[in-house]
Amino acid sequence: MIKRLLCLLAATMMAAPVSAQHWSRSWAIAPVQSGRVSSSPDLRDKTIRQVVRLSNGGKQLRIRLSNEMSSASLRVGAVRVALADANGKIVQGSSRVVTFDGDGTLTVPPGAPMVSDPVPMAVKPLTRITVSIHLPEGAAAPTIHGYAGATGWIAGGDQTNAVTLANQVTTMQRIILSGVDVETARSARTIVALGDSITDGVRATNDSDRRWPDLLAERLQAGNMRDVGVANLGISGNRLLNDSGGGGINVLARFDRDVLTVPGVSHVILLEGVNDLGTAAREGAIMPSADDIIDSYRQMITRAHDRGVKVILATILPYKGASYWSEAGDTVRQQVNAWIRDNDVADGAVDFDRAIADPADPLRMAKPYDIGDALHPNDAGFRVMADAVPLKLLR
């Protein structure tokens, strides 16, 4: 009997982690497609440097690289992470080597992501960091996210440890880098913002971190929710029901990858549907019904609840005056929004529609919030959206 108890105790000890780790995703983008990098078609023996702003902080971090949309293996020669100043320049002495299973080089298989070892680098909330990646053999069609809203740089050779890159060219895409996780002393959580270009932050001021998920992260920090990260998984052009070229695979197809596998995910704020309505009008296709859109929401709610993740639905913004607006599409939008406000299936609602609508013409976005295309908010509009999220829903 004693021998049996000792065996059970030994098995339990072997199964237990060495120490509890609490990871959350502090920054993210959704891998969208493989393609050429506009500013540098040839990435052979190049260093790519990208700046990201974290949402929550931690005592160490991890880097996530993505080869998920590519059909060839990706050879990575070196990766380094460093603190960045307000201009995106490396803070002297802050650069750290990033390893993967103890090795500074790695090969990422086709269709796969890779998560680094923990990097012993403490970061405060809302800190900017740089991630520098050297590709000794290049990448003909790397996994990218077409919109960055932030300036990155590409330079020849392995300059991952250089404070300033020599002979650099700029890029406005996210290349290979897809996530940064932070570890906190106590349990941390991640809020995923899932949507299209409005969540991706298209038309926000570049290098300013003015997207509504960025501003929501600032509100969380100010509201003493400091162990809560915000991961922006918006894709410009994305749709609920169909794939959309540069807009990537439909949100139902990417939901598990972009939401349910995110470290620490506790909530998802879902803002999707306007591209389904607008594309149907522009192409003369069958307009999705309100039930079509609502059923897709229900599907994601079911899958999220199975994993203990709460779903906050956001009403679809007004878009009258946009190039693909139609009366039929707007009728469906209003029906969907009415259901979002009153449903008892999701875990809450954010009324972006009413927050940003023109009081004199609620089918339109108010002019002070409109970038000028009647579809995308400007920085002030993104601020209104972030302020419209009830923080109590995220506690």
Side-chain angles (χ1 to χ4, degrees):
M1 183 67 176
I2 294 175
K3 183 177 180 180
R4 185 178 179 185
L5 288 173
L6 289 173
C7 289
L8 288 171
L9 178 61
T12 301
M13 291 175 67
M14 291 176 64
V18 174
S19 61
Q21 293 183 319
H22 307 292
W23 292 98
S24 70
R25 186 140 294 161
S26 188
W27 175 88
I29 57 92
V32 178
Q33 61 187 19
S34 62
R36 289 192 174 275
V37 179
S38 58
S39 59
S40 178
D42 181 8
L43 292 176
R44 186 179 298 273
D45 192 24
K46 294 292 197 303
T47 293
I48 305 165
R49 177 166 293 170
Q50 299 167 78
V51 179
V52 304
R53 193 190 74 170
L54 304 179
S55 50
N56 57 332
K59 58 185 179 180
Q60 57 183 354
L61 52 79
R62 302 185 304 200
I63 303 300
R64 185 182 192 272
L65 305 182
S66 176
N67 199 35
E68 291 163 275
M69 309 305 292
S70 304
S71 59
S73 296
L74 177 70
R75 181 69 176 165
V76 178
V79 182
R80 293 186 76 102
V81 62
L83 299 177
D85 65 18
N87 298 315
K89 302 298 183 183
I90 284 181
V91 174
Q92 189 78 34
S94 68
S95 182
R96 302 286 185 271
V97 173
V98 179
T99 61
F100 296 77
D101 296 323
D103 198 336
T105 65
L106 72 152
T107 298
V108 189
M114 296 289 271
V115 178
S116 78
D117 302 327
V119 181
M121 181 179 183
V123 288
K124 295 179 180 180
L126 309 179
T127 294
R128 286 185 173 86
I129 64 170
T130 67
V131 179
S132 303
I133 304 166
H134 177 234
L135 304 178
E137 300 170 7
T143 294
I144 63 173
H145 183 95
Y147 174 77
T151 304
W153 302 273
I154 301 171
D158 182 358
Q159 298 191 50
T160 53
N161 196 32
V163 173
T164 302
L165 298 178
N167 301 315
Q168 64 190 17
V169 295
T170 61
T171 178
M172 296 302 292
Q173 297 175 334
R174 293 298 185 188
I175 310 165
I176 299 169
L177 177 66
S178 66
V180 181
D181 303 335
V182 296
E183 186 192 7
T184 57
R186 58 181 184 270
S187 183
R189 299 186 291 112
T190 306
I191 311 300
V192 172
L194 187 66
D196 49 40
S197 59
I198 296 170
T199 297
D200 205 7
V202 171
R203 311 302 289 272
T205 300
N206 287 333
D207 301 312
S208 68
D209 302 305
R210 296 293 92 187
R211 309 165 188 84
W212 74 260
D214 297 327
L215 300 172
L216 175 61
E218 294 177 6
R219 284 192 65 210
L220 291 171
Q221 292 302 313
N224 203 32
M225 297 173 68
R226 297 186 179 176
D227 288 327
V228 181
V230 178
N232 187 340
L233 277 302
I235 300 177
S236 181
N238 199 223
R239 287 187 266 171
L240 285 163
L241 305 173
N242 293 284
D243 296 350
S244 52
I249 59 176
N250 66 82
V251 76
L252 282 170
R254 70 185 182 96
F255 187 80
D256 290 21
R257 180 199 71 183
D258 288 348
V259 177
L260 300 185
T261 63
V262 169
V265 60
S266 61
H267 297 71
V268 55
I269 302 175
L270 175 60
L271 173 60
E272 283 266 12
V274 70
N275 286 325
D276 294 79
L277 304 175
T279 301
R282 182 175 58 211
E283 297 179 354
I286 296 174
M287 181 66 63
S289 68
D291 284 343
D292 292 334
I293 293 175
I294 291 167
D295 286 347
S296 69
Y297 293 161
R298 288 180 180 274
Q299 172 64 206
M300 286 181 276
I301 291 167
T302 297
R303 285 152 64 180
H305 285 176
D306 283 346
R307 300 287 289 273
V309 176
K310 294 183 178 181
V311 179
I312 310 301
L313 295 177
T315 52
I316 303 172
L317 276 62
Y319 71 112
K320 185 177 181 180
S323 61
Y324 63 10
W325 183 87
S326 70
E327 186 174 344
D330 205 84
T331 297
V332 174
R333 180 186 72 89
Q334 293 181 63
Q335 292 169 344
V336 170
N337 284 353
W339 180 84
I340 288 174
R341 294 183 184 108
D342 296 332
N343 84 91
D344 58 1
V345 182
D347 301 284
V350 178
D351 205 341
F352 288 150
D353 174 27
R354 287 177 176 165
I356 210 163
D358 184 343
D361 186 357
L363 302 188
R364 293 180 179 270
M365 187 183 302
K367 287 188 177 180
Y369 308 141
D370 181 2
I371 196 66
D373 63 2
L375 179 65
H376 295 96
N378 56 21
D379 290 0
F382 286 131
R383 170 63 70 185
V384 167
M385 291 177 67
D387 288 346
V389 179
L391 295 189
K392 64 182 181 181
L393 294 178
L394 307 178
R395 295 188 183 277

